Amino acid sequence: MKTETTIQGLSASLQSARAARKTIGFVPTMGNLHQGHLNLVREAKKLCDVVVVSIFVNPIQFGEGEDFESYPRTLEQDSHLLADVGCDIIFAPTVDQMYGKQPRLTNISVGGITQDLCGQSRPGHFDGVAVVVTKLFNIVQPHFAFFGQKDYQQLAVIRQLVKDLNMPIEIIGVPIARDTDGLALSSRNGYLTQEQRQTAPVIFQSLKQAEKDLHAGVALSEVLQNIKAQLSDAGLVVDYVEARQPDLQPINVFDHDLVLFIAAKLGNTRLIDNLQIQLKT
Ligand code: AMP
């Protein structure tokens, strides 16, 4: 496995793979890797000859007062984990390498689906994601790129971006990896105190309870209220609890498949999760 920190170095490393028409798979991450990230790499290994994983904490997708500075940077540990799952190339550029010293004059804004859910409380976040992912796609030029369903809205934004701009890349969504108690794995879980970590599984528990209730015929509005109450009672501060159709269109009644979304703060840590719920036929 190679680690490249410059765009030139990465291009040189990929040259022979491109010449041999090998399939290139790409997994963009911000590092501090866990099994959720590694599952993306495992999926990439199944479909592709060469797998590139980027590790880059992207400053422009963090809002003011968010955790850009404190975001965990653990490149050495990440490298060991990636070697074990067969990653071929790590691309770990500096901020300077990605954004240079000149001001950036181009923005990429995916409309509609970025306006609410996480877009509402994190203005500019999805523009920052769209810009960095586009840059990384142009740098790596992969055939396939892998994203987690943990960031469901982000995955939808990337699919839209690729479709709208005719990027010749197939986007693969990978299911959420969870800890044994149901908590969705996240680099931000490391911010939690021991006590908060014991509380956090209430997020997944409330989603599973909601699934049961919906299948038992409880009204969707009541189910959403129950989730909010469960989270508040456990000491979380709810950002949003919402139900959407799988394409993120609004839904008011459980009359077709839906996705439940939660964003909530536990202390200073913002956690997100979602659960896809199928209408039983
Ligand atoms: P991040 O490093 O948080 O930017 O995440 C990089 C990629 O890993 C994104 O596509 C995430 O959706 C994905 N990811 C993060 N956590 C999980 C998880 N628990 N399960 C599946 N994918 C995940």
Side-chain angles (χ1 to χ4, degrees):
M1 187 181 69
K2 278 187 186 168
T3 299
E4 300 292 351
T5 57
T6 66
I7 295 166
Q8 261 191 336
L10 180 74
S11 299
S13 273
L14 281 171
Q15 204 173 15
S16 59
R18 284 200 225 287
R21 300 195 173 278
K22 291 196 170 160
T23 321
I24 298 171
F26 177 43
V27 181
T29 82
M30 297 202 299
N32 192 236
L33 304 181
H34 51 63
Q35 288 302 319
H37 298 113
L38 299 179
N39 282 350
L40 301 186
V41 181
R42 291 185 186 103
E43 282 306 309
K45 287 296 288 181
K46 282 188 214 162
L47 277 179
C48 307
D49 303 319
V50 175
V51 174
V52 180
V53 177
S54 66
I55 295 181
F56 179 62
V57 185
N58 174 36
I60 69 165
Q61 72 185 68
F62 287 78
E64 227 161 276
E66 290 189 353
D67 55 344
F68 172 68
E69 270 87 22
S70 55
Y71 200 88
R73 289 155 170 92
T74 53
L75 183 57
E76 204 180 306
Q77 179 189 310
D78 293 347
S79 304
H80 293 302
L81 292 170
L82 288 173
D84 287 347
V85 289
C87 166
D88 298 286
I89 303 174
I90 299 176
F91 180 50
T94 59
V95 171
D96 205 43
Q97 181 66 205
M98 285 299 285
Y99 291 108
K101 292 194 169 65
Q102 304 293 329
R104 176 178 53 87
L105 300 180
T106 303
N107 189 35
I108 301 175
S109 216
V110 177
I113 52 173
T114 57
Q115 295 311 296
D116 45 18
L117 300 172
C118 282
Q120 191 131 51
S121 40
R122 306 190 71 189
H125 167 69
F126 288 115
D127 287 10
V129 169
V131 168
V132 81
V133 168
T134 302
K135 283 163 77 75
L136 288 167
F137 281 178
N138 285 333
I139 292 165
V140 178
Q141 295 172 40
H143 301 92
F144 294 87
F146 299 78
F147 291 84
Q149 287 167 358
K150 157 97 188 329
D151 301 275
Y152 191 102
Q153 191 179 12
Q154 170 175 278
L155 175 57
V157 168
I158 304 298
R159 286 194 195 283
Q160 187 75 38
L161 171 76
V162 161
K163 200 165 86 178
D164 286 348
L165 301 185
N166 302 88
M167 296 179 178
I169 300 169
E170 188 167 334
I171 303 301
I172 310 282
V174 179
I176 301 175
R178 300 182 179 280
D179 219 329
T180 46
D181 57 11
L183 179 65
L185 296 179
S186 165
S187 305
R188 291 193 167 99
N189 293 348
Y191 297 150
L192 301 174
T193 64
Q194 228 174 20
E195 200 189 331
Q196 289 170 337
R197 177 61 189 80
Q198 301 223 310
T199 302
V202 71
I203 297 173
F204 184 59
Q205 285 157 14
S206 70
L207 288 170
K208 291 301 281 182
Q209 183 61 47
E211 183 180 40
K212 259 192 218 155
D213 291 348
L214 284 170
H215 283 148
V218 180
L220 180 54
S221 56
E222 194 179 324
V223 165
L224 297 177
Q225 282 311 320
N226 289 345
I227 297 176
K228 284 183 196 165
Q230 235 181 307
L231 297 175
S232 304
D233 289 351
L236 283 87
V237 177
V238 172
D239 179 358
Y240 60 76
V241 172
E242 286 200 39
R244 292 298 172 96
Q245 298 182 36
D247 64 359
L248 295 180
Q249 293 304 307
I251 182 168
N252 297 313
V253 182
F254 183 41
D255 55 5
H256 42 262
D257 296 353
L258 58 72
V259 188
L260 290 177
F261 292 94
I262 292 178
K265 270 192 148 182
L266 190 46
N268 291 324
T269 307
R270 188 172 182 279
L271 300 173
I272 60 170
D273 200 353
N274 66 79
L275 185 66
Q276 300 180 46
I277 300 179
Q278 254 108 51
L279 191 67
K280 275 189 183 165
T281 48

